[in-house]
Amino acid sequence: MNIHEYQAKSVLREFAVPVPRGIAAFSVEEAVAAAHQLGGPIWVVKAQIHAGGRGKAGGVKVVSSIEAVRSQAARLLGSTLITHQTSPHGKVVRRLLIEEGSAIEREFYLSALVDRARGQVAFVVSTEGGMEIEEVAAREPEKIVSFSIDPATSLMPHHGRRAAALGLGGDRGADLSDVLAKLYEAFVSKDMSLLEINPLVVTKGGQVLCLDAKIAFDDNALYRHADIAALRDLSEEDDKEVEASKYDLNYIALDGSIGCMVNGAGLAMATMDIIKLYGEAPANFLDVGGGATREKVSAAFKIITADPRVKGILVNIFGGIMRCDVIAEGVLAAVKEVGLSVPLVVRLEGTNVELGNQILSASRLNVITATDLDDAAQKIVSAVREPQ
Ligand code: GDP
Ligand code: MN
């Protein structure tokens, strides 16, 4: 789960990480009130969307009057920001962060992420603040240091010295170690999967400050963090994926023509592969899981049929814990509600397969049944290619 920059900064503030003073605003009036409260004389008006690259796209403005805060807020709110991290359609700005301005001496890059190979949290620090870290890694790898943290000993002074060796800190080395330790504590306690501070700056006053903050959390750990889960902004997410997540479905939208409903990630991958083998492409990845209910199957089916790109549906279920009759009932319930305007191929195998097939054939649904995966893939591919 991703959150906005202003939310990320308030999470970091709980851990005493130094961030600029700032107030979120949802309207021009709130932005002006925030500017008054912060006092100036310099303010930064920042568009809040779940994407970086806002600076270059005009979404971050440093201003020196309340009137400028007002006009920038009016310009940004409701506008669509297209950055190199958004899709070409961009994202609508619905929230702003009004911050006090900071006098920047030097900008750095810092991130923390889970290094799966080592089983530890790793930090990546670079002198090239404000740059894309991938570019720096490709062109000037000597400007990046990275180190991972042993959870048994946590952050040690030598980690701070590794970062300070880049010139971040200098006489501020102690300051930096302190910030690193707090960031590490925040990362671990809140089950983050990514924390990116770009830029981390040293101000003219010599203070280390997080000027930007991007945080992603591990979805599987959200149940232990009600405070974090409450920060979710659904308007930033794909509608179909939001709907799927309500039913705990593993759904990812793709851009092919065949909607797939499958149980088990392995079977889902195999189904996608075989559709490609026969010359079409999947419209989605959808794993209904092992113990899906009729409601869950029905929700999955509705999500698939709501996608205008779907020209045909392939249901491929191997009933183990999942029963074939439950799948059949779920499909029927969904079709009754939303109708079925595209060909449907069903391949059921395993527990209660006879009952499942009976339910489908007793309905007046125009279902094409298949005997195995190969048969199913060929049938759905030819069905979407035949003129209806
Ligand atoms: P991003 O482009 O989406 O990553 O947004 P950032 O929060 O990183 O802001 C973009 C750039 O705006 C930063 O790299 C800074 O150079 C600049 N910026 C942000 N806040 C301030 C500030 O308080 N003072 C000054 N002078 N520049 C700022
Ligand atoms: Mn940034």
Side-chain angles (χ1 to χ4, degrees):
M1 188 187 94
N2 297 318
I3 58 173
H4 289 290
E5 174 197 5
Y6 76 93
Q7 297 168 323
K9 284 174 168 168
S10 82
V11 170
L12 294 179
R13 214 174 268 127
E14 283 174 42
F15 293 85
V17 173
V19 295
R21 289 164 57 231
I23 299 167
F26 294 76
S27 67
V28 175
E29 288 320 308
E30 282 178 21
V32 169
H36 278 294
Q37 205 178 319
L38 292 167
I42 306 286
W43 297 266
V44 188
V45 181
K46 307 186 79 174
Q48 300 294 288
I49 54 171
H50 285 188
R54 297 162 300 166
K56 287 193 186 104
V60 176
K61 291 289 173 192
V62 181
V63 299
S64 54
S65 72
I66 299 262
E67 273 325 296
V69 169
R70 182 190 294 280
S71 62
Q72 290 298 337
R75 178 181 69 85
L76 282 169
L77 279 171
S79 73
T80 299
L81 211 56
I82 303 170
T83 83
H84 66 266
Q85 285 187 12
T86 65
S87 76
H89 308 295
K91 290 205 155 195
V92 177
V93 180
R94 296 184 174 90
R95 310 176 185 200
L96 299 173
L97 171 60
I98 312 299
E99 256 183 6
E100 65 179 354
S102 310
I104 302 171
E105 173 79 34
R106 290 190 68 188
E107 300 192 22
F108 297 85
Y109 171 94
L110 180 145
S111 65
L113 47 103
V114 179
D115 181 339
R116 287 164 195 275
R118 303 186 73 122
Q120 298 183 340
V121 173
F123 277 91
V124 177
V125 185
S126 158
T127 50
E128 305 305 286
M131 296 268 297
E132 292 294 297
I133 194 67
E134 293 83 358
E135 256 176 58
V136 183
R139 287 202 216 139
E140 302 173 287
E142 70 283 358
K143 292 187 171 167
I144 300 179
V145 293
S146 71
F147 44 86
S148 58
I149 311 297
D150 188 325
T153 48
S154 196
L155 211 106
M156 305 287 278
H158 69 86
H159 294 127
R161 288 196 293 274
R162 291 285 302 278
L166 278 178
L168 172 50
D171 55 327
R172 264 107 44 187
D175 221 15
L176 177 68
S177 292
D178 181 51
V179 173
L180 283 177
K182 287 168 174 163
L183 289 172
Y184 180 71
E185 196 201 336
F187 190 98
V188 174
S189 349
K190 294 294 183 187
D191 290 306
M192 296 178 188
S193 57
L194 175 75
L195 167 63
E196 189 178 59
I197 311 293
N198 187 20
L200 175 74
V201 304
V202 176
T203 64
K204 294 212 159 73
Q207 203 202 349
V208 175
L209 196 61
C210 298
L211 226 55
D212 190 9
K214 169 184 175 173
I215 301 180
F217 296 91
D218 179 354
D219 291 347
N220 292 317
L222 279 178
Y223 74 96
R224 348 192 245 207
H225 304 289
D227 56 332
I228 300 295
L231 301 178
R232 187 167 175 198
D233 180 359
L234 294 178
S235 67
E236 291 282 335
E237 301 176 29
D238 181 294
D239 288 345
K240 294 193 293 293
E241 291 183 17
V242 169
E243 188 62 20
S245 75
K246 280 189 208 158
Y247 294 92
D248 205 20
L249 294 163
N250 295 310
Y251 175 90
I252 295 160
L254 301 170
D255 45 16
S257 61
I258 298 180
C260 305
M261 185 159 88
V262 184
N263 67 329
L267 194 56
M269 300 297 257
T271 306
M272 288 164 51
D273 282 351
I274 204 158
I275 287 172
K276 285 226 158 170
L277 180 70
Y278 286 110
E280 287 293 324
N284 66 278
F285 171 102
L286 193 153
D287 171 11
V288 295
T293 57
R294 190 183 141 190
E295 286 69 36
K296 203 165 153 175
V297 170
S298 161
F301 201 83
K302 278 189 237 166
I303 290 165
I304 292 176
T305 49
D307 183 348
R309 272 191 304 244
V310 168
K311 303 286 177 265
I313 299 171
L314 173 55
V315 175
N316 183 25
I317 301 289
F318 191 88
I321 302 170
M322 184 81 231
R323 286 160 31 205
C324 294
D325 56 317
V326 171
I327 295 285
E329 280 175 1
V331 169
L332 278 192
V335 169
K336 265 186 204 139
E337 233 180 279
V338 296
L340 181 66
S341 53
V342 296
L344 168 66
V345 172
V346 178
R347 180 251 175 164
L348 297 175
E349 193 56 80
T351 309
N352 287 2
V353 59
E354 296 81 8
L355 191 53
N357 283 330
Q358 260 172 43
I359 291 170
L360 288 176
S361 53
S363 75
R364 291 198 309 276
L365 265 189
N366 183 19
V367 183
I368 306 164
T369 54
T371 49
D372 59 29
L373 180 48
D374 208 50
D375 185 37
Q378 291 183 53
K379 280 179 172 158
I380 191 62
V381 168
S382 65
V384 302
R385 285 180 174 178
E386 267 164 26
Q388 296 295 301

